[in-house]
Amino acid sequence: MSGIARYNGKSSFKEWQQDWQNEERYNFRTIENKWQKIWENEKVYKVEIDTNKPKFYALVEFPYPSGAGLHVGHPRSYTALDVIARKKRMQGFNVLYPMGFDAFGLPAENYAIKTGVHPAISTKANIENFTRQLKSLGFCFDWDRCFATCDPEYFKWTQWMFIQFWKHGLAYKDKMAINWCPSCKVGLANEEVVNGCCERCGAQVVRRDKEQWMLAITKYADRLINDLDTVDFIDRVKSTQINWIGRSEGAELEFALTDNNGNDLGKKMVVYTTRPDTTFGVTYTVMAPEHHFVKELMDKYQNPDEVQNYINEASKKSELQRTSDTTKTGVELKGIKARNPFNGELIPVFISDYVLTGYGTGAIMAVPAHDQRDYDFAKVFNLPIIQVLAGGDISKEAWEEDGEHINSGFMNGMDKKDAMAAAIKFAEEGGFGKAKVNFKLRDWVFSRQRYWGEPIPMVYCEHCGWQPIDESQLPLMLPDVPDYRPNDNGDSPLANAKDWVETTCPKCGGKARRETDVMPNWAGSSWYFLRYCDPHNDKEFASKEALKYWMNVDWYNGGMEHTTLHLLYSRFWHKFLYDCGYVPMPEPYQKRTSHGMILAADGEKMSKSRGNVINPDEIVENYGADTFRLYEMFIGPFDQVAMWSDESLNGVYRFVSKIYALFKKVYGNEVPMSPEDTRAMHKCIIEVTERIDQMKFNTAVSSMMTYVNYMSNMEKIPAQMYETLLKLLAPFTPHIAEEMWARLGHSSFIVAQDWPEGDAKLAEDNVVTLGVQMNGKMRGTITVSKDASKEETEAEALKLENVARQLEGKTIKKIIVVPGRIVNIVAA
RNA sequence: GCGGAUAUGGUGAAAUUGGCAGACACGCCAGACUUAGGAUCUGGUGCCGCAAGGCGUAAGAGUUCAAGUCUCUUUAUCCGCACCA
């Protein structure tokens, strides 16, 4: 290690020592700049595979490099895992803690539309700014592994993986309604639709059918639920994912469609129900207005105009309008009927927008007696209501609880469980139904009518249909376009790049057109954690060896807002790669935790428009990175929202200054440590160690404050006590810890030191103070030896003046002594 | 409506899981000191009360020698999802 840098340019420790001995105040700027340079030059945090050490992979969600720069929220997560990573390192683990950039996305493109600056250029500048900011905070990232998802060397593999999805039949094209802004003439991502309006111009968003690439995440729905049992995710995340996937068990039943006289029309309407046992209570059926039968049977209706009108109205409504208005509307398809397969009765068929096209089969059997929505609809249209489950009062509302089956033929008298089984058996034997599991989760819409994303590596050939480009042609680069706006047809800006679009079919060599939509920005983040394992590999996305050594991610911290997006997508993506044999484990993340947001001092979200944004650069400039990091750990419980407070920040600054000031009182180990000193030290070691593991960072910091307060009251501090403090602080405030470590004369890095071992025995006091209660009320305290007998303790308690006074005129019934905890005298 | 959280001093919060409520910090009060700084140091600080004492963990009930912690009921706030058949 170069002594010169370490000694602030002086050639020896002695000379340097003279400098700081005259120094009055804690100069964080000098200290932090110095160590950041040394760490970078000496690549202190670079990691390589080392099979002699246990590995630990800590991961935080990489940021989107926005023009606004780092937000104070980012460092909350980054510092937390930096603390964990640094501690693990000191505990002997080979720690991978990487950072990169999720760099494809809309803001850069919107900026390009406004200014004409190519997204690649603005993105590069933003990444440089983010990198500078992240480095100024002293995280122990291995910067040699840094990449951005828009790097061709990276997105080459994102495209390659898409082709694998296609080859396995998991990527397919389907016609889907997209959000379309008629004013901007652009397809919007769901994230860009705010309250049914375009985020940029405020115009009402409408639905427009467009062919979309889809990824078949629903094929993995069951595994995405079941495998949650094999990982250590916080409960909130697990239950949110389970809810989102929305598994339900039920049955599909066929209702034959007939004319008014019961003559079969040759079409069987399939409905999905979770309660096949209530089929005797079905009094009508409903199809979504978009159901393909509705159009196909148009010539059979007596009221085709009314039907067509309703379809038109429904299509005009946005998703939001359709779901926010729960009053029931609909139109009967007059002229056709449906036959209840259980009792053969003919019942009316309606269309209504309360039936959703995307869930189940897009058609339902209505049981108004036992489903409030069906009940409401039946009331509007004056339809019969037949009760099949005993209970409730169906003249007032639907009975949605369970009850004995009535009016249900062979199911009469059965409970829900038996009737469900009987109904499904009946349907299966009759050949008109089967048990069926359904999910709320839909397949993943994977195309965006956008420019700044990974081009989808597919071409369309008249003869061969959709074909992937040859893998040797990857990466498929984005073409330059004159204008980043989409064209009038709702095509991506790529459609304007004629030379790029027109190509040849990789299969037959004939004329073909490239896909002009790009991937969503969730694509690149679906596998970035794999790339960190082997980021410069140009033969594979990562070598088997690297994946085998580093995966899984041992601890992944990120925002709750990604639970049903990135976190779910990447689990699916990873499982697919696992099925193909490309990654060694079925789940990517062993442990998932989540941090709370940081709000502005006014309790509001920080935003430019409110003018309450705290800029990390200013905090680092005025207080230093160590204070900033420590403050974010001290601000409150890690998993809860916290409010920014300049006063508290100042308090933490005082604490860091105190650590600096204590140094003057540090003597060698010739100063003896009293048992009390030893106790204070070991108590702190134990508490800090435990609390970091539990992410109780705020109380870990409290422990260190208590320990520092203890040392503040000492005349002379033995070196060991102070060194221990520095080691415990090193994960939180690495710069000052490293500096003071060096000033103590050490020539090694503090991160290379062993994490201190706490000794529970030495941390224990040999006398304990017990509370003494009378009838449960505190009356005083006694101090007894750690292993005082019950009798001694009782006697000591009864000696208390306060107790004697309270005891007057009363007799003792019993005395409860809980050793080390409390004495309670029960008297009356 | 469904699901998940949260509720403790003037403020942010602790509480080893049923055992001295308020650790640690901010703020405030009093004092000391100074090269007047973003100072620093010392002491105090849940509420009522001169005191003895009483009252205190959103509200109400319960279990217990003992409840912030367990059980039931209610209220408020926040975050998801939301006509999912």
Side-chain angles (χ1 to χ4, degrees):
Chain A
M1 181 196 305
S2 90
I4 305 282
R6 164 170 281 257
Y7 302 149
N8 283 12
K10 300 289 186 295
S11 56
S12 73
F13 180 77
K14 270 253 154 62
E15 272 182 60
W16 177 42
Q17 192 173 32
Q18 280 169 1
D19 263 12
W20 89 61
Q21 277 171 346
N22 299 325
E23 198 177 82
E24 278 301 311
R25 296 183 51 204
Y26 165 46
N27 189 341
F28 56 83
R29 237 164 263 149
T30 312
I31 294 173
E32 292 177 359
N33 288 339
K34 164 180 156 184
W35 288 106
Q36 283 169 14
K37 255 183 227 134
I38 294 175
W39 292 335
E40 179 153 8
N41 291 341
E42 307 203 11
K43 293 196 184 290
V44 173
Y45 303 120
K46 187 176 169 61
V47 281
E48 294 294 352
I49 292 176
D50 177 353
T51 47
N52 295 319
K53 276 189 186 172
K55 68 93 185 180
F56 188 83
Y57 187 171
L59 184 67
V60 287
E61 289 170 348
F62 62 168
Y64 174 80
S66 76
L70 206 66
H71 183 270
V72 290
H74 291 119
R76 195 176 193 193
S77 173
Y78 303 166
T79 307
L81 261 69
D82 197 57
V83 168
I84 288 164
R86 285 173 179 273
K87 170 168 162 283
K88 284 281 180 188
R89 216 179 264 262
M90 292 173 78
Q91 286 177 319
F93 288 83
N94 192 27
V95 177
L96 174 58
Y97 187 41
M99 178 48 66
F101 297 98
D102 191 14
F104 274 128
L106 304 167
E109 186 169 335
N110 288 341
Y111 184 74
I113 292 173
K114 235 190 281 173
T115 64
V117 174
H118 194 283
I121 291 169
S122 57
T123 300
K124 185 162 177 272
N126 290 347
I127 287 176
E128 277 165 14
N129 187 42
F130 262 72
T131 304
R132 175 192 62 77
Q133 290 186 301
L134 290 167
K135 285 187 175 172
S136 79
L137 288 168
F139 297 123
C140 66
F141 297 132
D142 177 357
W143 284 103
D144 286 354
R145 290 174 187 260
C146 183
F147 60 82
T149 53
C150 63
D151 296 342
E153 304 77 42
Y154 180 82
F155 76 68
K156 167 184 177 174
W157 297 107
T158 312
Q159 291 172 328
W160 178 82
M161 287 171 191
F162 181 89
I163 293 173
Q164 309 315 308
F165 276 112
W166 186 82
K167 283 184 175 166
H168 287 81
L170 292 171
Y172 62 96
K173 242 194 164 178
D174 197 13
K175 202 166 211 181
M176 281 285 299
I178 62 160
N179 302 302
W180 174 255
C181 173
S183 153
C184 300
K185 291 180 181 165
V186 64
L188 301 177
N190 281 330
E191 312 87 67
E192 293 177 286
V193 182
V194 180
N195 287 329
C197 296
C198 170
E199 174 193 58
R200 200 156 356 108
C201 74
Q204 271 267 321
V205 171
V206 296
R207 293 145 59 88
R208 183 151 164 177
D209 281 342
K210 201 166 182 306
E211 290 251 303
Q212 306 276 322
W213 283 102
M214 310 285 288
L215 290 190
I217 189 171
T218 52
K219 290 230 165 80
Y220 283 73
D222 261 325
R223 284 166 66 192
L224 288 170
I225 292 178
N226 296 339
D227 290 358
L228 285 174
D229 288 342
T230 68
V231 292
D232 177 20
F233 289 9
I234 50 172
D235 286 344
R236 285 197 290 163
V237 169
K238 281 191 186 183
S239 66
T240 306
Q241 289 204 340
I242 290 168
N243 268 329
W244 181 262
I245 295 169
R247 184 191 150 97
S248 73
E249 289 182 18
E252 280 185 356
L253 300 176
E254 290 176 4
F255 282 61
L257 296 179
T258 71
D259 64 15
N260 280 346
N261 302 319
N263 298 315
D264 215 302
L265 295 173
K267 287 203 189 291
K268 289 190 168 149
M269 178 177 65
V270 181
V271 303
Y272 175 71
T273 178
T274 52
R275 296 301 300 271
D277 58 318
T278 62
T279 308
F280 283 97
V282 175
T283 57
Y284 62 95
T285 64
V286 190
M287 288 190 278
E290 296 86 354
H291 198 288
H292 61 278
F293 280 4
V294 179
K295 233 181 245 161
E296 288 165 26
L297 293 165
M298 198 59 88
D299 58 334
K300 302 283 189 301
Y301 309 145
Q302 293 156 4
N303 57 342
D305 293 347
E306 201 188 350
V307 172
Q308 190 58 53
N309 267 342
Y310 189 81
I311 295 171
N312 294 347
E313 287 300 311
S315 74
K316 260 191 253 162
K317 284 195 202 168
S318 68
E319 190 87 28
L320 187 86
Q321 285 169 315
R322 260 174 93 153
T323 55
S324 61
D325 183 5
T326 55
T327 53
K328 296 290 179 287
T329 61
V331 173
E332 184 179 354
L333 302 179
K334 289 185 179 146
I336 68 166
K337 298 279 180 198
R339 191 189 302 280
N340 184 333
F342 275 40
N343 57 17
E345 276 175 30
L346 292 184
I347 50 176
V349 182
F350 285 81
I351 56 170
S352 170
D353 62 6
Y354 88 93
V355 173
L356 307 174
T357 179
Y359 184 74
T361 59
I364 62 153
M365 59 179 220
V367 186
H370 305 292
D371 182 297
Q372 193 58 42
R373 293 158 303 175
D374 296 345
Y375 187 92
D376 295 341
F377 188 87
K379 284 290 175 194
V380 173
F381 290 90
N382 248 322
L383 296 157
I385 296 170
I386 300 172
Q387 184 159 16
V388 292
L389 299 169
D393 177 3
I394 64 155
S395 68
K396 292 206 182 80
E397 59 183 1
W399 172 246
E400 294 189 326
E401 315 284 311
D402 289 333
E404 189 189 318
H405 285 68
I406 53 174
N407 302 323
S408 291
F410 64 89
M411 286 180 283
N412 280 338
M414 290 185 186
D415 64 8
K416 180 177 169 183
K417 193 168 162 255
D418 291 343
M420 286 282 286
I424 287 169
K425 189 164 167 253
F426 182 68
E428 277 171 355
E429 282 171 2
F432 49 78
K434 58 173 198 274
K436 167 87 187 186
V437 170
N438 237 324
F439 298 95
K440 278 199 260 184
L441 183 72
R442 319 281 172 88
D443 276 346
W444 177 6
V445 180
F446 201 70
S447 23
R448 298 287 183 273
Q449 294 68 44
R450 287 293 184 164
Y451 175 77
W452 190 232
E454 300 87 346
I456 293 175
M458 303 292 292
V459 301
Y460 186 77
C461 165
E462 291 290 336
H463 304 285
C464 312
W466 283 106
Q467 293 296 328
I469 67 171
D470 194 277
E471 288 173 19
S472 67
Q473 302 296 302
L474 296 174
L476 172 60
M477 301 293 285
L478 279 165
D480 274 323
V481 296
D483 187 352
Y484 301 100
R485 272 180 291 256
N487 72 15
D488 286 343
N489 303 326
D491 291 332
S492 136
L494 294 185
N496 300 332
K498 292 235 158 47
D499 292 350
W500 183 84
V501 172
E502 285 165 16
T503 183
T504 51
C505 173
K507 202 169 175 191
C508 71
K511 266 194 170 178
R513 286 176 56 83
R514 288 193 196 280
E515 171 60 62
T516 57
D517 283 356
V518 297
M519 299 189 198
N521 61 333
W522 309 108
S525 57
S526 288
W527 68 280
Y528 74 115
F529 48 91
L530 298 172
R531 187 65 176 174
Y532 283 141
C533 297
D534 192 9
H536 307 298
N537 195 325
D538 56 3
K539 306 272 185 312
E540 311 161 84
F541 64 84
S543 76
K544 285 254 157 57
E545 185 205 3
L547 292 172
K548 195 159 177 244
Y549 180 77
W550 288 116
M551 287 299 287
N552 302 356
V553 173
D554 291 281
W555 196 330
Y556 189 19
N557 188 76
M560 272 311 284
E561 69 275 18
H562 292 132
T563 302
T564 54
L565 296 164
H566 158 66
L567 198 67
L568 198 61
Y569 293 150
S570 58
R571 288 183 60 221
F572 155 61
W573 194 290
H574 188 86
K575 281 181 183 302
F576 168 72
L577 295 177
Y578 171 75
D579 288 350
C580 297
Y582 294 128
V583 294
M585 291 96 164
E587 281 286 335
Y589 319 119
Q590 191 50 44
K591 178 171 180 150
R592 169 76 178 189
T593 53
S594 201
H595 55 275
M597 252 198 319
I598 295 185
L599 302 176
D602 56 10
E604 303 279 350
K605 264 191 186 177
M606 288 187 193
S607 72
K608 247 194 244 163
S609 57
R610 285 205 184 83
N612 56 7
V613 177
I614 305 281
N615 180 354
D617 283 342
E618 275 175 36
I619 307 298
V620 171
E621 176 63 24
N622 296 325
Y623 294 86
D626 282 336
T627 296
F628 185 33
R629 293 167 56 111
L630 194 65
Y631 171 63
E632 291 228 345
M633 294 298 94
F634 188 62
I635 193 167
F638 181 68
D639 57 350
Q640 281 166 42
V641 291
M643 254 186 269
W644 187 267
S645 155
D646 286 327
E647 287 79 22
S648 292
L649 175 70
N650 214 12
V652 172
Y653 179 78
R654 280 206 280 259
F655 171 66
V656 179
S657 309
K658 234 188 251 180
I659 296 159
Y660 179 88
L662 277 187
F663 182 82
K664 294 200 179 93
K665 298 201 288 179
V666 176
Y667 289 76
N669 283 325
E670 71 277 3
V671 178
M673 274 175 77
S674 72
E676 208 189 341
D677 298 343
T678 306
R679 222 158 28 235
M681 187 176 89
H682 281 275
K683 205 171 163 228
C684 187
I685 295 170
I686 290 167
E687 287 180 354
V688 171
T689 306
E690 272 176 4
R691 289 168 180 184
I692 289 174
D693 293 338
Q694 299 162 344
M695 297 194 117
K696 291 181 168 181
F697 302 110
N698 53 334
T699 56
V701 177
S702 299
S703 295
M704 293 191 285
M705 285 174 167
T706 305
Y707 183 48
V708 163
N709 288 346
Y710 180 87
M711 283 192 278
S712 299
N713 292 324
M714 296 172 78
E715 290 285 317
K716 293 181 172 183
I717 300 169
Q720 196 198 341
M721 287 186 79
Y722 190 71
E723 285 180 354
T724 299
L725 173 70
L726 294 181
K727 288 180 193 171
L728 297 176
L729 273 168
F732 294 85
T733 56
H735 309 88
I736 191 174
E738 197 82 86
E739 174 75 6
M740 302 328 268
W741 183 253
R743 288 192 190 185
L744 285 171
H746 297 292
S747 57
S748 56
F749 286 111
I750 196 162
V751 280
Q753 298 304 303
D754 286 340
W755 186 254
E757 289 278 340
D759 184 329
K761 277 222 180 77
L762 293 175
E764 215 173 72
D765 208 336
N766 45 15
V767 291
V768 287
T769 306
L770 302 183
V772 177
Q773 300 181 332
M774 265 198 63
N775 294 334
K777 287 196 176 160
M778 277 300 299
R779 295 296 169 189
T781 57
I782 52 169
T783 305
V784 294
S785 91
K786 188 174 62 184
D787 29 36
S789 70
K790 191 169 190 277
E791 289 71 25
E792 285 172 71
T793 310
E794 278 180 20
E796 202 61 39
L798 290 169
K799 270 193 231 159
L800 280 177
E801 213 181 294
N802 225 344
V803 169
R805 191 170 43 233
Q806 293 290 328
L807 225 39
E808 263 173 52
K810 290 178 183 158
T811 51
I812 296 173
K813 289 209 165 148
K814 64 173 159 176
I815 301 177
I816 290 149
V817 178
V818 184
R821 297 247 191 265
I822 206 154
V823 180
N824 192 4
I825 301 162
V826 186

